[in-house]
Amino acid sequence: MSSTDEFMEKGEIESTKENEKEKTDGEKDEGAEEKKEECTSCKTDQEVVFIQDLGFTVKVAAPGVEPFDIQVSSMELVQEIHQLLMDREDTCHRTCFSLQLDGITLDNFAELKTVEGLKEGSLIKVVEEPYTMREARIHTRHVRDLLKSIDLCDSYNGVDCASLCFLNTVCAGDIMEKKRSRPESVDCTPPEFILPGAKDVPLLPLHPATREQPAKLNCLKVVTPSGWNPPPGYRKLHGDLLYLQVITAEEKHYHITASTRGFFVNHCTEEEFNPKAASPSYLSHSLIELLNQVSPMFKRNFSLLQKRRTGRHPYERVPTPYQMYSWIGPQLDHNIDTIRAEDAFSSKLGYEEHIPGQTRDWNEELQTTRELPRKNLPERLLRERAIFKVHSDFVSAATRGAMAVIDGNVMAINPGEEAKMQMFIWNNIFFSLGFDVKDHYKDLGGDAAAFVAPRNDLQGVKVYNAVDLEGLFTLGTVVLDYRGYRVTAQSIIPGILEREQEQSVVYGSIDFGKTVVTHAKYLDLLQKAGNQLKILPHKVVNDKQEDVELCSSVECKGIIGNDGRHYILDLLRTFPPDVNFLKIEGMELSKEAQALGFPIEHKHKLSCLRQELIDAFVESRYMMFIKYAAVQLQQLGLKKQMEPVKQIEVKKEKEEGSEKESEMEEDEAKRIVESMTDSITSGEKKEVEDSTKQIVKKAALAVGSLKETEFDIRFNPDVFSPGVIHPKDNSNFKKECQLVQDAADFLITVQIPAFIRDCLDHSTAPMDGATLADAIHNRGINMRYLGKITEMLGKVPQLEYVYVIAVSEVVMRSAKHLFTLFLQGMDMLSLSCSISHFLNCLLSSCPTPSCTVPDQIHKKRSRNRSKKATTKTSPLTPTDSVEWANLTPKTLWAQIKAEAKSYFDWNLSIDGIDAFVDLINLNKMTLLRSFCQKTGVQIMLREYQFDNEKVQSFSEEDIVNMYPIVKHINPRATDAYNFYTTGQSKIQQGFLKDGYELISEALNLLNNVYGAMHPEIAQCLRMLARLNYIMGDHMEAMSCQQKAVLMSERVNGIDHPYTITEYTHLALYCFANTQVSTALKLLYRARYLALLVTGENHPELALIDSNIGLILHAVGEYDISLRFLEKALQLNLTYHGPKSLKVAVSYHLVARTQSCMGDFRSALTNEKETFTIYKTQLGEEHEKTKESGECLRHLTQQAVVLQKKMNDIYQGKTKTGLPPIQIQPPSMGSVLDMLNIINGILFVQISQQDIENFKKEYEMRQKDGPAKKAEIEGELGTKSLKMDPEEKSCSPEESSPSPAIESS
């Protein structure tokens, strides 16, 4: 913790500064957040030197604008002021200028603190500079970017790291700007399609249109470089740089010259070149100023566009680190855009204009960043940030390259070979295809093995990168699936292309174990890494009958590059094989495995176990070892070692059921083992020593340890590799094989049941295929076990919702496998019609979808028939066949059935989509979403008819685009992660204040490493919002959560399950800030998304519905409220069982609403249910039980009064009708309390005064620095949390045990 404390202060200064900056200057560019230079608190081992990273204000004077103030920080570069001015509304049209202080030009790359004379209040002048050719081009590009800045095309087309974001559309404006004074007119009726029990989910609301968006803001018709470019020699000498042609919105044509002084109108026409200046020439330094003069419509629309652009939240505009793709999109207008055209067809690779020199040397950049120093926090931040930046650039370059390769835009380096053997180099990245080249994988499963090898290799790269060992290097690796092909993109080892592979490999084998070589340096490096990855150094026999020692699988190769670095590649077998999917001669699996039908023969022999599984297995064996030894020791009655043993035994009893032993226990356990080994080494009494040795030996034997004298479990990844010969004299070989079998067994007998338990106790609640896969992977289970898991889930009725997700995942994955083969070799001509045909066969109820085959193919077919028979075809050359047109729903579903059986060993009982949808009660929309996201198909945003048997659902116009599915590693921000987890555990212990500070600091570090946008930042913001809310600062909670929603939409996707969770949290905080109708809009959006993603049967919907019902009740919409609450009750009963406290709350809510509607009889029955549950679960004396009892008495009384009045009327005693029932709507406060309960937020007992004091102190601390920290440490820390008895977190995002506060 000490280092954490030392850096605390620094981070706080940073974070408050960030906030001030946001307040003082709304338009401040996000660039500042992204480029926030490294945190430079320099740290020696003992002390911390604070470098004053101060914020101060400077005045900026730009031509034609009143001077204005901006907030800067001493750590910023001058360039960031540049960026800021290019984004500000009143100065954004300038790109070519310098900044001057007292007549001296500032260096763009200098930090502000190094600039002499720059201080609070200095005046910086913006001075227009003469243009150069490059500056003129940058300027026109910038103008084009400004003109299309509010367009959504880039987000739909998946370019430039743009992505969609609809929060402010849903809320009709920025929630932070809504004034608190006037209560809103509350329109609360939910749209029809989200009411409980509504039949179909429409698609159009997924991308809501903004209301105020008028027809497109057309500023200009066309701006394009003119055909007269480049200027001839004699004009260059007059300062002409380039010529543009403009057609204004008023249909006027202008030819414009960009010269060194600026832009002016010339006398050229389409036919005649006359570069003289026209009169008036409208000479302006910026193109925008010129256009403002020649076109009134441009002037008007451009200023509107500017207002709209700067009105958007920065998080809607910052680029994301990796490209997001939308699975559904409208048909976009395709406008003339010559810059886009130039980018597509020019030979330049799109490397940034301003990088001097040639293309980027990716390998050098990736490896150099890894070699940066990492002794202290500032160094680590700088290093992690560099690694992350280069990596995300590499991923986007690799994505463009892979698409270019498949689209046929790159020449192969071996063009003579057949297409599937070809390899490509583009932009210093090496591309290869996932086919079995040269029968390399013949014994392992051919093309099926070649297809999974890159993915396994990527897993290997991931784990070696995570170990992060100095001196051992891996290649930058990205695996992409695009249009049915798998492409591997790798950075290039220097010098590898000049030599044959045989010469360069100094470690490992290039032929799966025939010739094997080894190398001392590699053994040393790999052994260090292997200790962490549990890989055992072992020997294999090569074809010369020599024993060769390795510390990895045989096909892992070591190559020393020309740069002298030690690279390892081909890491596809880093982890031991999964014997449940291998048929091995003479090997018996355990009874449990055989009962489940293992071993299953898989399509390839490359099935490996996951790292998470290996870790869990070793952990569990270690606990076994300790327990065994401890029990034996106790029996020995060694008094000295008894004490710790007793404790551990007691603890064990408690913990028996849970998987994750807390760290405390491991320490206990280790202490015992140490005390044992100490007594061995210190040579106390001889008999003690011997008996202890015996105990260790027995324990080691019991857990299958490889050494007799200590606990040692590591794996030999080569044990069952075909073609690898093991030395005869390895006495441990049997044990090594046994361990691999045990690990595979552990997966079936421990991990799969553990996953099902996670679902049962709601610590994980997957909503769609992707979150299901994450949850399964977290337990170390591979997706090929999905069929088995599905079978087990089918037997647990209250997990029906997970079962439905799992079944649809099996079917959709099978369909994806078939679709991949279907696309290979498809002619470009017929892509859209073949894809829409496949979708019709998959999802449409129409039994005989017809499809139009593009007629060029027909013409060709007749001609080519004779030739066709002779030539050898490859899967990459487009075939002329129209085989695909013969696919029918019947044949496709038969294939899916077969695939589900052969891959997942799962029996699909039906043979058509409609039977399938009835079987699992799912919406076809959900299946369509799942399929498109898996295969990279983007379909048209419109309403689809699935159930009409006469009409087919899709036509070729509905296939809008195809995008790649990209897999890559995710570099981590380790320090931030440690701060975050420490913060979480502080909060669990009830030290809210410390937790809050740690998590704020984590946010700072995350911004430092990742820039402004990242999924982990979204998670951190959600946590901060929750803490602010609990500590009573509702405004700040809303502000943090708003950022979390915006960010989740941008980096996870607008319909990702995490985004749904973020929406529900934001609704609660909006309600707390009295924005009632906004809160309802957010909840309606969350419910709509949940219906689309998972359908109505899901525990998450119970939560959303309780929230909606409560708020509708608060505004007096009792009828609709009751529908939502009854749905929530039904869902809670299904998924939490009739005894759960959640159900009790649900009954109570329904009763409250019924009593408000005057239906006292029903209200009584429901409240009785609540009372019974509380009584049995919490006992008579609990306050909850007493409250419920009160409620019952009150209801009975009301019912009696009502009955009496009714009787009076019947007997004619009173002449008047029924008196109005006395209902007072609940106060906002009481509704909020109820909302907190159902959302699992339990308040800390802190008075408002405490919070005020806390804030004051927080501010003082900014001034006083570290000295003050210690004094206030404990003040708020002592106030602790109250927890609800039966609460578990079901927030999807936290794989780590979630903090108390998260319990929802």
Side-chain angles (χ1 to χ4, degrees):
M1 261 311 288
S2 62
S3 68
T4 337
D5 285 342
E6 290 170 349
F7 282 106
M8 218 47 252
E9 310 302 330
K10 169 75 176 76
E12 282 160 8
I13 300 170
E14 288 264 12
S15 65
T16 47
K17 202 195 80 222
E18 281 289 324
N19 296 344
E20 283 159 22
K21 208 187 277 186
E22 280 171 24
K23 286 175 197 135
T24 49
D25 182 1
E27 304 93 278
K28 174 103 177 87
D29 174 30
E30 329 81 49
E33 283 172 56
E34 292 178 277
K35 295 197 193 64
K36 188 103 211 118
E37 260 331 307
E38 64 275 29
C39 145
T40 329
S41 51
C42 299
K43 170 186 177 216
T44 55
D45 294 337
Q46 280 75 33
E47 53 179 342
V48 176
V49 186
F50 282 115
I51 289 190
Q52 289 307 306
D53 172 8
L54 298 171
F56 55 97
T57 315
V58 292
K59 264 202 167 3
V60 175
V65 190
E66 287 291 303
F68 52 86
D69 288 337
I70 59 169
Q71 184 83 12
V72 292
S73 111
S74 55
M75 311 290 311
E76 280 176 31
L77 299 185
V78 175
Q79 189 181 7
E80 295 178 33
I81 303 183
H82 259 263
Q83 291 290 342
L84 177 105
L85 295 175
M86 280 166 67
D87 196 61
R88 245 187 97 98
E89 192 174 346
D90 44 8
T91 55
C92 68
H93 53 279
R94 310 182 176 283
T95 59
C96 184
F97 58 86
S98 61
L99 299 172
Q100 295 190 358
L101 178 65
D102 308 329
I104 299 163
T105 303
L106 306 182
D107 166 20
N108 245 349
F109 295 101
E111 287 192 359
L112 295 185
K113 60 169 185 258
T114 61
V115 176
E116 274 182 45
L118 185 63
K119 54 182 188 299
E120 177 75 32
S122 298
L123 179 70
I124 295 182
K125 281 210 174 98
V126 175
V127 180
E128 298 178 340
E129 292 291 324
Y131 283 97
T132 59
M133 176 78 177
R134 178 170 164 272
E135 285 290 351
R137 285 182 53 194
I138 287 177
H139 186 76
T140 36
R141 182 172 283 258
H142 179 66
V143 168
R144 169 262 200 170
D145 288 343
L146 286 175
L147 291 179
K148 75 184 214 9
S149 59
I150 56 167
D151 206 350
L152 289 180
C153 314
D154 284 355
S155 305
Y156 284 119
N157 291 332
V159 290
D160 292 345
C161 287
S163 59
L164 299 164
C165 178
F166 291 116
L167 173 65
N168 287 345
T169 313
V170 172
C171 300
D174 187 334
I175 49 172
M176 296 311 294
E177 287 165 15
K178 299 206 168 152
K179 295 290 166 280
R180 302 193 57 172
S181 51
R182 53 177 188 81
E184 321 165 60
S185 57
V186 187
D187 169 32
C188 302
T189 37
E192 278 296 308
F193 55 83
I194 69 150
L195 289 173
K199 183 80 189 78
D200 282 329
V201 187
L203 258 185
L204 289 172
L206 181 58
H207 294 194
T210 39
R211 269 200 308 236
E212 91 283 32
Q213 200 148 15
K216 277 261 179 76
L217 279 178
N218 277 336
C219 300
L220 280 179
K221 288 259 168 72
V222 184
V223 50
T224 133
S226 135
W228 297 115
N229 278 323
Y234 70 94
R235 283 310 303 174
K236 275 189 191 160
L237 305 178
H238 282 87
D240 290 8
L241 300 171
L242 61 111
Y243 303 123
L244 302 171
Q245 185 176 357
V246 171
I247 305 176
T248 64
E250 295 92 348
E251 280 293 345
K252 289 197 167 154
H253 290 241
Y254 290 98
H255 284 257
I256 294 173
T257 302
S259 76
T260 48
R261 306 178 298 164
F263 294 78
F264 61 84
V265 179
N266 62 34
H267 272 308
C268 296
T269 61
E270 313 276 295
E271 291 83 33
E272 184 190 1
F273 180 63
N274 179 358
K276 299 265 190 313
S279 61
S281 72
Y282 300 113
L283 172 67
S284 321
H285 190 262
S286 120
L287 185 55
I288 301 248
E289 289 168 352
L290 180 141
L291 293 168
N292 273 336
Q293 295 177 57
V294 297
S295 161
M297 265 166 87
F298 177 86
K299 189 171 185 174
R300 195 185 73 226
N301 285 353
F302 185 70
S303 73
L304 285 173
L305 181 126
Q306 282 291 69
K307 287 224 170 17
R308 203 179 297 166
R309 180 179 71 90
T310 49
R312 289 170 65 192
H313 195 282
Y315 282 176
E316 296 181 75
R317 307 184 296 174
V318 191
T320 57
Y322 305 111
Q323 183 63 57
M324 289 289 301
Y325 300 96
S326 168
W327 63 274
I328 187 165
Q331 184 76 61
L332 298 163
D333 306 338
H334 196 60
N335 302 326
I336 288 187
D337 179 348
T338 43
I339 294 183
R340 182 190 63 220
E342 176 190 20
D343 284 355
F345 291 116
S346 63
S347 57
K348 81 170 193 325
L349 305 165
Y351 44 87
E352 295 76 341
E353 307 265 314
H354 49 261
I355 290 192
Q358 277 309 299
T359 54
R360 294 172 69 166
D361 181 347
W362 292 109
N363 190 65
E364 188 54 34
E365 289 192 37
L366 287 162
Q367 313 309 348
T368 312
T369 50
R370 290 221 165 260
E371 288 171 330
L372 291 170
R374 44 174 150 177
K375 289 195 250 340
N376 52 34
L377 185 77
E379 284 184 355
R380 283 196 301 273
L381 284 178
L382 187 60
R383 173 174 185 265
E384 284 176 349
R385 173 187 175 156
I387 289 174
F388 182 75
K389 183 79 186 90
V390 171
H391 178 257
S392 66
D393 287 354
F394 176 70
V395 172
S396 72
T399 308
R400 292 187 47 207
M403 290 170 74
V405 164
I406 298 297
D407 289 339
N409 212 355
V410 181
M411 171 132 175
I413 49 178
N414 50 347
E417 313 239 355
E418 62 163 315
K420 74 169 173 180
M421 319 236 323
Q422 291 180 350
M423 291 167 263
F424 305 84
I425 288 181
W426 180 91
N427 191 358
N428 278 327
I429 305 174
F430 174 79
F431 297 93
S432 53
L433 299 164
F435 293 112
D436 185 7
V437 182
K438 301 183 182 158
D439 289 339
H440 194 67
Y441 293 104
K442 192 169 70 183
D443 305 338
L444 299 168
D447 276 350
F451 192 80
V452 295
R455 193 196 58 209
N456 282 5
D457 182 34
L458 184 65
Q459 284 288 353
V461 171
K462 178 177 143 191
V463 297
Y464 276 106
N465 263 337
V467 171
D468 211 0
L469 188 68
E470 284 185 48
L472 187 63
F473 295 94
T474 55
L475 302 183
T477 309
V478 179
V479 179
L480 299 101
D481 292 304
Y482 178 56
R483 280 183 37 202
Y485 300 103
R486 175 157 282 182
V487 186
T488 311
Q490 290 170 311
S491 61
I492 300 170
I493 298 178
I496 185 140
L497 297 168
E498 291 98 74
R499 325 174 264 200
E500 279 298 310
Q501 205 184 13
E502 285 77 24
Q503 301 158 355
S504 35
V505 173
V506 297
Y507 170 90
S509 160
I510 53 169
D511 47 17
F512 287 103
K514 294 188 193 62
T515 46
V516 191
V517 285
T518 188
H519 185 282
K521 178 76 175 145
Y522 271 107
L523 276 178
D524 174 46
L525 287 168
L526 286 168
Q527 192 148 0
K528 283 183 193 154
N531 284 339
Q532 288 186 48
L533 300 175
K534 314 284 182 278
I535 300 171
L536 178 75
H538 57 279
K539 293 194 164 74
V540 299
V541 181
N542 66 10
D543 52 3
K544 302 193 183 108
Q545 301 304 313
E546 305 158 339
D547 286 7
V548 182
E549 185 170 4
L550 297 174
C551 188
S552 63
S553 63
V554 281
E555 62 281 293
C556 165
K557 304 171 192 36
I559 296 181
I560 301 178
N562 284 358
D563 52 4
R565 294 189 180 105
H566 292 77
Y567 293 94
I568 49 171
L569 54 157
D570 286 348
L571 307 172
L572 50 137
R573 276 221 191 121
T574 304
F575 290 113
D578 180 352
V579 291
N580 293 333
F581 284 88
L582 286 174
K583 283 224 165 93
I584 296 164
E585 297 285 310
M587 189 182 88
E588 277 281 291
L589 289 180
S590 68
K591 296 276 174 292
E592 295 89 349
Q594 288 177 358
L596 282 169
F598 291 112
I600 295 166
E601 195 148 3
H602 212 40
K603 293 189 169 160
H604 56 82
K605 298 199 171 95
L606 290 180
S607 308
C608 292
L609 299 171
R610 296 179 64 89
Q611 187 194 10
E612 298 95 329
L613 180 87
I614 300 296
D615 292 347
F617 176 70
V618 174
E619 173 86 350
S620 108
R621 280 290 161 107
Y622 186 57
M623 292 325 285
M624 255 168 75
F625 174 73
I626 297 288
K627 278 186 199 171
Y628 192 90
V631 172
Q632 297 282 320
L633 272 178
Q634 259 183 334
Q635 289 168 356
L636 257 180
L638 291 177
K639 286 285 175 285
K640 268 179 95 173
Q641 290 128 337
M642 275 294 280
E643 303 325 311
V645 176
K646 276 210 177 113
Q647 295 169 355
I648 190 167
E649 281 305 305
V650 175
K651 284 216 159 175
K652 277 291 157 302
E653 251 62 298
K654 283 189 211 149
E655 284 280 35
E656 211 53 277
S658 78
E659 258 65 66
K660 287 236 165 74
E661 265 80 11
S662 65
E663 289 184 5
M664 186 56 204
E665 299 205 315
E666 286 177 27
D667 295 346
E668 294 276 2
K670 284 180 187 132
R671 213 172 302 145
I672 295 186
V673 174
E674 275 159 24
S675 72
M676 286 164 18
T677 41
D678 283 350
S679 67
I680 294 178
T681 44
S682 63
E684 284 176 20
K685 304 194 189 72
K686 191 83 180 94
E687 68 276 16
V688 175
E689 188 183 329
D690 287 345
S691 51
T692 319
K693 272 188 180 161
Q694 286 309 119
I695 289 173
V696 176
K697 194 166 176 177
K698 276 187 189 160
L701 198 68
V703 297
S705 163
L706 296 173
K707 294 193 185 134
E708 292 189 348
T709 51
E710 57 178 310
F711 176 82
D712 176 24
I713 287 197
R714 286 177 293 168
F715 295 92
N716 173 347
D718 282 328
V719 278
F720 297 119
S721 305
V724 176
I725 306 163
H726 300 276
K728 300 273 183 296
D729 54 0
N730 180 355
S731 53
N732 264 353
F733 189 62
K734 266 224 162 55
K735 273 188 188 172
E736 289 168 16
C737 294
Q738 191 53 47
L739 272 181
V740 172
Q741 277 174 266
D742 291 350
D745 229 41
F746 179 77
L747 192 154
I748 310 173
T749 53
V750 180
Q751 293 301 83
I752 293 183
F755 164 73
I756 291 176
R757 262 204 311 282
D758 284 346
C759 294
L760 273 173
D761 63 21
H762 297 279
S763 53
T764 172
M767 281 186 86
D768 63 353
T771 40
L772 175 73
D774 288 346
I776 290 180
H777 284 156
N778 279 336
R779 281 277 177 202
I781 307 165
N782 310 70
M783 283 316 271
R784 56 177 172 271
Y785 286 93
L786 188 58
K788 295 290 168 214
I789 294 177
T790 309
E791 261 170 54
M792 295 183 195
L793 286 168
K795 300 185 182 112
V796 189
Q798 65 267 48
L799 288 185
E800 177 222 9
Y801 75 98
V802 194
Y803 173 72
V804 168
I805 296 171
V807 172
S808 55
E809 190 66 359
V810 168
V811 171
M812 284 301 139
R813 279 177 181 253
S814 305
K816 176 186 74 174
H817 299 163
L818 298 168
F819 186 66
T820 301
L821 294 169
F822 176 81
L823 282 180
Q824 286 179 7
M826 187 67 68
D827 195 328
M828 288 287 273
L829 274 177
S830 42
L831 266 178
S832 62
C833 36
S834 59
I835 294 172
S836 61
H837 181 63
F838 189 94
L839 281 173
N840 278 327
C841 294
L842 182 67
L843 295 172
S844 171
S845 302
C846 173
T848 52
S850 61
C851 52
T852 48
V853 178
D855 48 348
Q856 279 124 309
I857 301 185
H858 283 309
K859 289 198 197 103
K860 271 206 282 200
R861 267 179 83 200
S862 52
R863 269 214 316 274
N864 284 0
R865 205 162 265 159
S866 54
K867 275 197 305 210
K868 192 77 193 266
T870 54
T871 53
K872 191 168 117 207
T873 63
S874 93
L876 264 189
T877 46
T879 52
D880 300 331
S881 83
V882 238
E883 201 78 331
W884 57 268
N886 305 333
L887 190 71
T888 66
K890 203 164 175 184
T891 51
L892 177 62
W893 277 87
Q895 288 172 349
I896 288 178
K897 213 165 163 171
E899 177 69 13
K901 178 70 186 152
S902 75
Y903 196 94
F904 296 106
D905 192 34
W906 193 72
N907 298 309
L908 185 59
S909 51
I910 43 84
D911 41 22
I913 177 69
D914 292 320
F916 179 63
V917 173
D918 295 342
L919 170 80
I920 58 170
N921 188 17
L922 247 198
N923 200 312
K924 286 188 183 178
M925 257 356 296
T926 306
L927 295 172
L928 177 65
R929 168 182 181 268
S930 164
F931 181 78
C932 290
Q933 286 182 332
K934 285 179 178 40
T935 52
V937 173
Q938 187 183 37
I939 57 160
M940 169 86 92
L941 178 63
R942 71 175 183 85
E943 300 303 347
Y944 290 94
Q945 275 195 328
F946 287 115
D947 303 330
N948 188 334
E949 297 197 359
K950 307 275 184 299
V951 187
Q952 48 193 33
S953 310
F954 302 91
S955 73
E956 52 188 279
E957 270 65 57
D958 292 326
I959 310 300
V960 180
N961 206 344
M962 283 207 79
Y963 53 84
I965 306 289
V966 187
K967 300 186 177 71
H968 54 80
I969 62 172
N970 285 305
R972 292 298 297 272
T974 44
D975 288 289
Y977 181 71
N978 296 338
F979 271 69
Y980 186 77
T981 44
T982 320
Q984 273 189 330
S985 60
K986 279 274 184 236
I987 289 159
Q988 262 168 327
Q989 296 156 20
F991 301 115
L992 275 196
K993 186 177 124 194
D994 296 355
Y996 183 79
E997 290 181 355
L998 284 164
I999 287 179
S1000 312
E1001 178 59 4
L1003 180 64
N1004 250 315
L1005 300 181
L1006 287 170
N1007 277 323
N1008 241 315
V1009 174
Y1010 295 138
M1013 279 272 148
H1014 195 274
E1016 286 173 27
I1017 301 181
Q1019 188 175 326
C1020 198
L1021 282 165
R1022 176 213 290 117
M1023 191 66 184
L1024 279 174
R1026 194 119 187 176
L1027 283 173
N1028 274 312
Y1029 183 69
I1030 285 177
M1031 288 155 51
D1033 188 344
H1034 293 173
M1035 273 318 270
E1036 190 52 33
M1038 187 162 81
S1039 157
C1040 282
Q1041 188 59 28
Q1042 178 198 30
K1043 290 179 188 155
V1045 177
L1046 287 168
M1047 198 173 299
S1048 182
E1049 289 196 301
R1050 291 284 319 275
V1051 295
N1052 293 324
I1054 53 166
D1055 53 359
H1056 192 285
Y1058 296 178
T1059 307
I1060 300 176
T1061 309
E1062 306 294 7
Y1063 264 107
T1064 35
H1065 286 216
L1066 183 59
L1068 173 64
Y1069 308 150
C1070 278
F1071 186 84
N1073 281 302
T1074 67
Q1075 299 196 12
V1076 181
S1077 66
T1078 309
L1080 279 168
K1081 282 180 192 146
L1082 292 165
L1083 285 167
Y1084 293 159
R1085 173 82 176 163
R1087 189 173 208 275
Y1088 166 71
L1089 292 174
L1091 287 177
L1092 185 71
V1093 170
T1094 175
E1096 214 169 33
N1097 297 319
H1098 193 282
E1100 186 76 6
L1101 266 107
L1103 181 68
I1104 296 176
D1105 286 354
S1106 304
N1107 277 307
I1108 295 179
L1110 248 173
I1111 296 181
L1112 285 172
H1113 176 120
V1115 294
E1117 296 275 358
Y1118 301 124
D1119 297 348
I1120 318 177
S1121 162
L1122 192 60
R1123 288 176 66 178
F1124 282 105
L1125 291 173
E1126 281 173 336
K1127 181 71 188 173
L1129 172 61
Q1130 174 220 319
L1131 289 172
N1132 276 332
L1133 276 169
T1134 313
Y1135 298 123
H1136 293 272
K1139 295 200 180 74
S1140 149
L1141 296 181
K1142 276 195 170 27
V1143 174
V1145 174
S1146 267
Y1147 273 124
H1148 174 65
L1149 292 177
V1150 171
R1152 269 180 39 170
T1153 309
Q1154 285 166 334
S1155 74
C1156 286
M1157 294 164 74
D1159 180 356
F1160 293 115
R1161 189 166 294 155
S1162 321
L1164 261 171
T1165 26
N1166 285 320
E1167 189 58 53
K1168 274 181 192 143
E1169 296 280 352
T1170 303
F1171 183 70
T1172 327
I1173 296 176
Y1174 281 151
K1175 203 164 95 182
T1176 50
Q1177 295 288 337
L1178 308 173
E1180 299 263 354
E1181 290 311 303
H1182 196 279
E1183 52 178 326
K1184 286 260 204 280
T1185 322
K1186 289 181 176 163
E1187 273 174 30
S1188 182
E1190 272 301 292
C1191 202
L1192 276 174
R1193 271 195 292 287
H1194 177 68
L1195 282 171
T1196 319
Q1197 203 179 328
Q1198 292 267 344
V1200 170
V1201 170
L1202 186 70
Q1203 195 57 49
K1204 195 157 168 252
K1205 296 230 169 93
M1206 304 267 283
N1207 294 348
D1208 286 358
I1209 292 172
Y1210 285 140
Q1211 292 159 14
K1213 287 187 189 158
T1214 40
K1215 290 283 172 283
T1216 54
L1218 259 182
I1221 304 168
Q1222 298 299 309
I1223 303 172
Q1224 63 181 76
S1227 71
M1228 279 306 179
S1230 71
V1231 175
L1232 195 55
D1233 291 343
M1234 210 60 221
L1235 279 173
N1236 292 330
I1237 291 173
I1238 59 176
N1239 288 298
I1241 291 184
L1242 296 138
F1243 273 92
V1244 196
Q1245 305 304 307
I1246 302 185
S1247 67
Q1248 196 48 44
Q1249 197 44 52
D1250 281 336
I1251 289 171
E1252 293 308 314
N1253 297 347
F1254 170 47
K1255 284 202 181 132
K1256 281 200 194 93
E1257 262 160 17
Y1258 196 70
E1259 277 146 27
M1260 276 170 56
R1261 290 262 306 288
Q1262 305 310 320
K1263 302 186 187 88
D1264 296 0
K1268 198 90 175 81
K1269 171 139 173 86
E1271 297 171 34
I1272 355 174
E1273 188 75 327
E1275 275 191 26
L1276 243 142
T1278 48
K1279 318 250 160 74
S1280 81
L1281 288 180
K1282 288 204 323 219
M1283 276 309 298
D1284 224 18
E1286 190 224 39
E1287 295 293 349
K1288 277 271 171 46
S1289 149
C1290 49
S1291 50
E1293 75 292 357
E1294 315 245 336
S1295 47
S1296 54
S1298 49
I1301 302 205
E1302 268 296 342
S1303 72
S1304 46

